[in-house]
Amino acid sequence: MDVFDYIKLLSSDYTLRTITLGTAVLGAVTGMLGSFAVLRKQSLLGDAISHAALPGIALAFLLTGSKDTNVLLIGALISGLIGTFWIRGIITKTHLKSDTALGLILSLFFGFGMLLLTFIQKQPNANQAGLDKYLFGQAATLVESDVWLMTIVTALCLGVLLLFWKEFKILLFDKEYAQTLGFNTKFIDILITSFIVLAIVMGLQTVGVVLMSAMLLAPAAAARQWTNSLGLMVFLSAIIGAFAGVFGTAISSTQNNLSTGPVIVLVASVFVLFSFIFSPSRGILFRQLRLLRNRNDLELQKTLAFMHNIVQDHEDISHPHVVKILNNFQGYSRKGLQKLVDKNYVTVQGDMWSLTPEGFTAANNLYNQNLKDD
């Protein structure tokens, strides 16, 4: 199925259109909010919150006996918020660091949730079937009302980000300075964390408890490689998250029995891998190219300095010398010598080389600069 066939199918198939819109909106909102989690070095926060939501789903079913998505997600939201405030409490009331607190809450809540699910499955009631879909997600269960809810939450999140942008930005990079300006840092911190919890809970139905943290972190991690601007990073994260949702849905729709959630996560991981390799500023490829270029430049400077040491004992700096004398220098290479010729620092005639006035001046400036550095 080519692109045009997929677009045609997208316009005619209600289920595919709903899932695609839902995953795109989910990717956008989690990408936006994930930027703050990544920059605050709370990458494990999404994992902890998504796992903390599991016992809320199980308890909501036990208390109501209903598998209504809204009821279960409300339970997940309450449980996720409780887990979040427990994390804050552990960090502020004890000497434990945030990663330790996140790991403790993740293990505690997920273990309790799995215990409740095991208990529910052993009950003589067929109504409990399907609760395990929240572990790995089931995007096919999305309906139009779910997409509208995600859209409303995304719009609300965007409005809050724009309204408190300055406060979020200052809190993110200098919490002490924000306090000196009189900002209520505790309220701002709780606000952004609550929206992260809300976005994660919305994605449980689509991606599931186990993989939801990847939806929060992967777009932000990819966007961070391309920019140093917070605003641009948030925008790129939203775009990458949305595209991951759309492409993942498209790929999973072409194959039978291919879960949408894991495919979306894999597509997001491809964006991360591509960014890690090809980002001009931080990418592995360009960093290696810069390292190689700097190494070559350093070898050229060393060769030029070596030539300067040879010719400075002569009254005539253009006095020719045999090329063989350069073989005693470890950094010498034919390629490097040709680059010096191209720069008009050296002239070569046969087996003889001579330093040009431009080359002597450049080498002398390099020597003086080294003296200053020392």
Side-chain angles (χ1 to χ4, degrees):
M1 180 169 54
D2 57 24
V3 177
F4 297 104
D5 291 335
Y6 178 76
I7 294 175
K8 184 178 179 180
L9 181 62
L10 193 64
S11 61
S12 60
D13 191 314
Y14 166 82
T15 302
L16 181 60
R17 182 169 63 249
T18 301
I19 296 173
T20 302
L21 290 175
T23 53
V25 173
L26 176 65
V29 67
T30 53
M32 282 192 299
L33 296 172
S35 300
F36 294 92
V38 169
L39 293 176
R40 292 168 72 185
K41 298 180 180 179
Q42 293 182 328
S43 300
L44 197 59
L45 179 64
D47 211 17
I49 294 174
S50 60
H51 285 72
L54 184 60
I57 295 173
L59 286 174
F61 173 77
L62 287 173
L63 293 174
T64 64
S66 171
K67 289 196 300 182
D68 181 79
T69 301
N70 294 330
V71 173
L72 298 181
L73 292 183
I74 289 174
L77 178 61
I78 295 173
S79 180
L81 288 173
I82 292 174
T84 302
F85 289 119
W86 279 20
I87 292 171
R88 288 177 55 86
I90 292 174
I91 295 172
T92 56
K93 302 297 182 182
T94 69
H95 297 291
L96 296 177
K97 294 184 178 180
S98 59
D99 57 344
T100 305
L102 290 168
L104 286 173
I105 295 301
L106 185 154
S107 304
L108 175 63
F109 275 69
F110 187 66
F112 183 49
M114 291 301 297
L115 180 65
L116 290 176
L117 284 182
T118 303
F119 173 76
I120 291 172
Q121 290 174 357
K122 292 183 178 181
Q123 297 300 306
N125 182 5
N127 191 40
Q128 77 267 21
L131 285 180
D132 57 343
K133 72 180 181 182
Y134 289 97
L135 285 174
F136 301 102
Q138 190 173 351
T141 60
L142 285 176
V143 294
E144 189 174 349
S145 59
D146 297 327
V147 178
W148 277 111
L149 178 61
M150 291 180 183
T151 305
I152 293 172
V153 171
T154 302
L156 181 62
C157 174
L158 182 59
V160 171
L161 284 180
L162 294 176
L163 184 62
F164 293 96
W165 180 257
K166 180 176 65 175
E167 290 82 356
F168 286 149
K169 192 172 183 178
I170 296 176
L171 178 64
L172 188 63
F173 296 107
D174 198 335
K175 184 176 181 179
E176 288 74 18
Y177 180 60
Q179 290 174 338
T180 61
L181 294 178
F183 293 148
N184 190 341
T185 56
K186 184 177 180 180
F187 168 76
I188 299 172
D189 185 49
I190 291 176
L191 184 63
I192 189 64
T193 304
S194 298
F195 271 99
I196 291 176
V197 175
L198 184 58
I200 289 173
V201 169
M202 285 195 312
L204 294 180
Q205 183 181 359
T206 306
V207 182
V209 167
V210 177
L211 299 175
M212 190 57 217
S213 62
M215 285 295 295
L216 188 73
L217 301 177
R224 183 67 182 93
Q225 302 301 308
W226 297 95
T227 180
N228 290 320
S229 168
L230 176 61
L232 186 56
M233 178 182 173
V234 172
F235 176 76
L236 287 177
S237 297
I239 296 298
I240 292 173
F243 272 100
V246 172
F247 290 156
T249 303
I251 294 172
S252 64
S253 66
T254 60
Q255 302 291 331
N256 294 327
N257 300 321
L258 194 60
S259 298
T260 303
V263 175
I264 293 174
V265 171
L266 288 176
V267 172
S269 300
V270 171
F271 279 111
V272 174
L273 182 62
F274 179 85
S275 300
F276 281 175
I277 296 176
F278 296 105
S279 168
S281 57
R282 293 186 177 86
I284 296 173
L285 175 62
F286 286 93
R287 186 164 64 242
Q288 291 299 318
L289 291 176
R290 284 193 298 270
L291 181 63
L292 181 61
R293 184 174 64 248
N294 293 337
R295 186 181 300 163
N296 291 336
D297 290 343
L298 181 60
E299 293 297 336
L300 284 181
Q301 292 176 2
K302 288 181 177 180
T303 303
L304 189 62
F306 182 70
M307 292 177 168
H308 178 268
N309 290 334
I310 295 175
V311 304
Q312 66 180 351
D313 295 332
H314 295 269
E315 294 183 2
D316 183 10
I317 62 171
S318 62
H319 179 78
H321 301 271
V322 294
V323 174
K324 284 184 178 180
I325 197 174
L326 298 176
N327 293 332
N328 297 323
F329 179 61
Q330 186 177 4
Y332 165 72
S333 66
R334 280 285 183 180
K335 186 177 180 181
L337 181 62
Q338 183 59 46
K339 287 184 177 180
L340 291 175
V341 172
D342 295 338
K343 289 177 177 289
N344 197 32
Y345 288 169
V346 176
T347 59
V348 176
Q349 293 182 350
D351 293 333
M352 308 294 290
W353 64 268
S354 58
L355 204 61
T356 66
E358 292 86 348
F360 184 83
T361 301
N364 200 43
N365 291 336
L366 182 63
Y367 179 75
N368 293 332
Q369 183 63 41
N370 290 335
L371 288 179
K372 289 181 181 180
D373 293 339
D374 294 338

